[in-house]
């Protein structure tokens, strides 16, 4: 009987030790896979210009750091502009100094998405080679956790189909090369959601899903941008376009993240903006999206168009009414 008790005691302790080991492995795995979306990423683009006061810039930076898991450098790229390399440095320092993940987004389209920055095409072999070399230099210098090699690229697919086909080939080559150096690096592209599904107020409501289909199998993540200000007006519901996030998640078995979103105080009232934030965070949770990045933490003082007024802070640094909702939602995720 005594031997039996000892045997049971040893088995019990062995079981406890096994459970402890499994727990440790799981915890380590979660830490290891944090960059693989064991935990979601939330944040905001941080656009600061010389038109903002020092006080407003400090407030924007502080509130970004307090409410984000990730810092994003969204840099413009052109073969004739070398500033893109230095433009990423400040954002990378913020991420490193404050223990945040780092996302590097490369935007080679004009702001109005009508063409590339400078009118060049990926059909040009020299352009492709320059892009290939520059991206490798950026990654070698800044070691991002996430790399978005094109912003809202479905616009380019509509304006230059041949150029887009060559870009996809270039993307595949760059991704294969970078993955050999760092298999953990997550590499994707961003697509404008309303443009994908033909509910964009411009562009003749053309659907552009073929642009996604052409490259989706080689994406580590599908980045999505969506702005309620470009949703066609004949749709009765402000939140209608969010339903297409469900369609995207159902039809494409890939990790999906919102790379930028927003709703302007130029077009929408306080209640509408608050409703939108609550709704998009609900989608974020329901669909297990991998990141949710707001389009700008602060307004641009110029106030020339709706894009300048999608911030969560007014240009003087004062909080908009919806800021508290956004802050609370993010802090619940972070903690």
């Amino acid at each position: 009987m005594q031997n039996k008790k000892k045997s049971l005691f040893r088995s019990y302790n062995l079981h406890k030790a096994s459970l402890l080991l499994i727990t440790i492995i799981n915890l380590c795995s979660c830490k290891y896979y944090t960059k693989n979306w064991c935990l979601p990423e939330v944040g905001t683009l941080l656009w600061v210009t010389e038109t903002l006061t020092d006080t407003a810039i400090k407030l924007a930076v502080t509130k970004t750091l307090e409410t984000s898991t990730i810092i994003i450098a969204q840099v413009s790229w052109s073969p004739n502009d070398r500033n893109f390399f230095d433009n990423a440095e400040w954002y990378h320092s913020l991420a490193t100094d404050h223990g945040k993940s780092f996302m590097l987004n490369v935007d080679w389209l004009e702001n109005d998405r009508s063409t590339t920055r400078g009118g060049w095409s990926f059909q040009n072999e020299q352009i492709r080679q320059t892009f290939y070399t520059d991206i490798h230099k950026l990654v070698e210098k800044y070691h991002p956790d996430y790399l978005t090699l094109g912003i809202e690229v479905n616009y380019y697919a509509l304006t230059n189909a041949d150029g887009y086909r060559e870009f996809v080939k270039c993307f595949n080559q760059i991704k294969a090369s970078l993955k050999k150096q760092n298999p953990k690096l997550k590499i994707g592209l961003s697509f404008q959601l309303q443009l994908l599904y033909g509910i964009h107020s411009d562009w003749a409501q053309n659907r552009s899903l073929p642009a996604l289909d052409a490259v989706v199998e080689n994406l580590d993540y599908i980045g999505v941008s969506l702005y309620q200000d470009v949703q066609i007006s004949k749709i009765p519901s402000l939140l209608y376009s969010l339903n297409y996030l469900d369609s995207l998640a159902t039809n494409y078995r890939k990790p999906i993240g919102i790379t930028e979103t927003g709703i302007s105080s130029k077009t929408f009232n306080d209640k509408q903006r608050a409703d939108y934030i609550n709704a998009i965070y609900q989608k974020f949770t329901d669909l297990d999206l991998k990141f949710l990045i707001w389009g700008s933490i602060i307004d641009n003082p110029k106030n020339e168009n709706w894009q300048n007024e999608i911030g969560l802070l007014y240009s003087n640094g004062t909080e908009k009414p919806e800021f508290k909702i956004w802050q609370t939602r993010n802090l619940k995720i972070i903690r």
Side-chain angles (χ1 to χ4, degrees):
M1 179 64 71
Q2 189 67 24
N3 289 338
K4 186 175 181 180
K5 286 182 178 179
K6 288 181 179 179
S7 177
L8 289 171
F9 184 71
R10 283 196 300 269
S11 297
Y12 175 72
N13 283 341
L14 182 60
H15 179 66
K16 285 177 63 180
S18 298
L19 289 175
L20 179 61
L21 180 60
I22 291 169
T23 301
I24 292 171
I25 290 172
N26 285 337
L27 287 173
C28 291
S29 296
C30 192
K31 183 177 180 181
Y32 178 82
Y33 282 110
T34 294
K35 300 300 185 289
N36 287 344
W37 304 303
C38 180
L39 298 174
E41 305 273 18
V42 289
T44 176
L45 292 174
L46 180 58
W47 298 111
V48 293
T49 70
E50 66 279 358
T51 57
L52 292 166
T53 66
D54 288 343
T55 299
I57 291 173
K58 288 177 182 176
L59 284 169
V61 171
T62 298
K63 292 181 186 298
T64 296
L65 292 172
E66 288 175 347
T67 53
S68 301
T69 65
I70 188 170
I71 298 296
I72 305 96
Q74 188 150 307
V75 297
S76 301
W77 183 87
S78 171
N80 302 316
D81 183 1
R82 302 290 89 191
N83 292 328
F84 72 91
F85 196 82
D86 294 333
N87 290 342
E89 186 169 0
W90 180 64
Y91 295 96
H92 179 255
S93 296
L94 279 179
T96 302
D97 294 346
H98 296 275
K100 309 291 185 181
S101 300
F102 182 55
M103 173 179 276
L104 181 58
N105 296 342
V106 184
D107 190 359
W108 35 263
L109 285 173
E110 290 284 4
N111 291 342
D112 66 3
R113 304 315 190 203
S114 61
T115 185
T116 56
R117 296 183 185 275
W120 45 266
S121 172
F122 276 102
Q123 291 171 273
N124 185 308
E125 183 178 353
Q126 185 58 49
I127 295 292
R128 296 196 302 272
Q129 185 57 50
T130 302
F131 187 68
Y132 182 99
T133 302
D134 286 349
I135 295 301
H136 278 76
K137 287 180 179 178
L138 279 169
V139 172
E140 182 179 353
K141 172 70 174 177
Y142 296 117
H143 306 288
D145 301 298
Y146 310 94
L147 176 65
T148 311
L149 284 177
I151 305 302
E152 299 182 323
V153 297
N154 45 329
Y155 285 104
Y156 187 54
L158 289 181
T159 60
N160 189 339
D162 292 336
Y164 183 73
R165 279 191 287 271
E166 292 302 319
F167 166 72
V168 170
K169 295 177 185 177
C170 186
F171 171 88
N172 291 337
Q173 291 171 351
I174 293 173
K175 182 172 183 283
S177 176
L178 291 175
K179 283 290 193 176
K180 288 180 181 178
Q181 301 172 29
N182 181 8
K184 297 180 184 177
L185 174 60
K186 295 299 182 186
I187 304 174
L189 294 170
S190 96
F191 299 81
Q192 212 292 323
L193 184 72
Q194 283 95 348
L195 191 67
L196 281 176
Y197 288 96
I199 58 167
H200 195 294
S201 56
D202 298 317
W203 302 85
Q205 282 84 65
N206 289 320
R207 291 166 66 93
S208 56
L209 283 169
L212 175 56
D213 295 335
V215 70
V216 67
E217 290 303 320
N218 201 27
L219 298 178
D220 291 335
Y221 59 87
I222 301 170
V224 178
S225 73
L226 63 157
Y227 289 100
Q228 295 313 95
D229 290 75
V230 304
Q231 179 177 281
I232 56 177
S233 58
K234 65 182 179 181
I235 292 176
S237 169
L238 166 69
L239 306 176
Y240 181 83
S241 61
L242 296 186
N243 295 324
Y244 288 102
L245 289 170
D246 298 77
S247 299
L248 206 63
T250 299
N251 295 324
Y252 297 93
R253 298 298 181 179
K254 287 282 182 175
I256 297 171
I258 296 174
T259 45
E260 52 183 294
T261 190
I263 180 169
S264 79
S265 49
K266 190 179 192 71
T267 309
F268 300 97
N269 61 40
D270 294 354
K271 182 181 184 305
Q272 289 172 316
R273 300 196 308 275
D275 288 346
Y276 180 72
I277 290 178
N278 281 320
I280 201 163
Y281 273 87
Q282 191 61 51
K283 287 290 185 187
F284 179 66
T285 301
D286 293 345
L287 299 177
D288 188 30
L289 302 182
K290 305 310 177 186
F291 37 83
L292 202 171
I293 298 164
W294 198 256
S296 179
I297 186 66
I298 191 167
D299 283 353
N300 187 313
K302 292 182 179 179
N303 294 335
E304 295 173 337
N305 49 44
W306 67 262
Q307 291 95 329
N308 293 155
E309 297 188 38
I310 59 170
L312 297 157
L313 308 174
Y314 294 108
S315 59
N316 63 2
T318 303
E319 297 175 3
K320 292 184 181 180
E322 66 269 25
F323 173 83
K324 290 296 184 186
I325 301 172
W326 176 81
Q327 180 186 52
T328 300
R329 289 281 194 166
N330 274 14
L331 290 177
K332 284 181 179 178
I333 293 167
I334 293 170
R335 292 169 183 169

